[in-house]
């Protein structure tokens, strides 16, 4: 079977052309699969975007409020209490443990600290932000 491409569109890259591991300056590495797994979930994606923007320690409730606002497409101060609680639970039990396991955040006593702007995650987040704003 022959596949023809319209116009001058190049064929898609083969997965063998994509490096299996992408190293950071700190010597740690994050697989491409791990990067996509992290960013597949909207809560993790929105949390990382907000933490990157803030660049410092953030209260978990504040983070949950911004994550919920992004999901609901409303201002942070308009997030209903039940949605805020749901976002906090999701962060605490699902999103933050995975982000911590990959060395992206640390958290304790209700404070979340953004540790590393991992290059692969940063590029994918930037691309997602650009696509959603256009």
């Amino acid at each position: 079977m022959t596949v023809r491409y319209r116009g001058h569109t190049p064929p898609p890259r083969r997965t063998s052309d994509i490096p299996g591991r992408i190293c950071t300056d700190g010597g740690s590495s994050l697989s491409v699969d791990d990067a996509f797994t992290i960013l597949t979930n909207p809560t993790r994606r929105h949390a990382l975007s907000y933490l990157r923007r803030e660049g410092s320690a953030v209260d978990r409730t504040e983070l949950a409020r911004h994550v919920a606002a992004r999901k609901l497409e409303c201002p942070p101060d308009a997030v209903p209490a039940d949605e805020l609680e749901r976002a906090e639970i999701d962060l605490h039990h699902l999103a933050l443990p995975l982000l911590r396991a990959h060395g992206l955040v640390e958290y304790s006593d209700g404070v979340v600290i953004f540790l590393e702007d991992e290059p692969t995650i940063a590029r994918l987040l930037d691309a997602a932000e650009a696509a959603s704003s256009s």
Side-chain angles (χ1 to χ4, degrees):
M1 178 175 156
T2 303
V3 178
R4 296 181 188 257
Y5 296 96
R6 294 182 185 169
H8 299 287
T9 307
R13 291 181 66 175
R14 287 174 275 184
T15 54
S16 61
D17 295 339
I18 300 171
R21 309 233 16 115
I22 298 167
C23 295
T24 62
D25 292 337
S28 63
S29 61
L30 183 66
S31 74
V32 173
D33 288 341
D34 287 343
F36 280 111
T37 297
I38 290 167
L39 297 176
T40 298
N41 178 277
T43 298
R44 291 190 297 262
R45 193 169 54 248
H46 299 325
L48 282 173
S49 290
Y50 183 74
L51 291 166
R52 283 180 72 214
R53 233 180 358 263
E54 291 301 305
S56 63
V58 174
D59 180 74
R60 189 180 69 214
T61 301
E62 177 187 346
L63 178 59
R65 184 176 308 283
H66 284 273
V67 167
R70 188 109 178 250
K71 281 183 176 180
L72 298 171
E73 297 179 353
C74 70
D77 56 346
V79 173
D82 62 328
E83 290 294 330
L84 177 60
E85 182 180 0
R86 192 171 293 126
E88 280 194 86
I89 290 169
D90 191 15
L91 280 170
H92 181 75
H93 291 287
L94 301 173
L96 293 177
L98 183 70
L99 296 176
R100 174 193 264 170
H102 287 288
L104 300 170
V105 302
E106 188 56 61
Y107 62 97
S108 66
D109 299 327
V111 176
V112 182
I113 302 168
F114 184 61
L115 295 178
E116 180 182 359
D117 200 10
E118 201 283 328
T120 303
I121 296 287
R123 283 193 303 272
L124 291 172
L125 279 173
D126 290 343
E129 298 269 330
S132 69
S133 65
S134 53

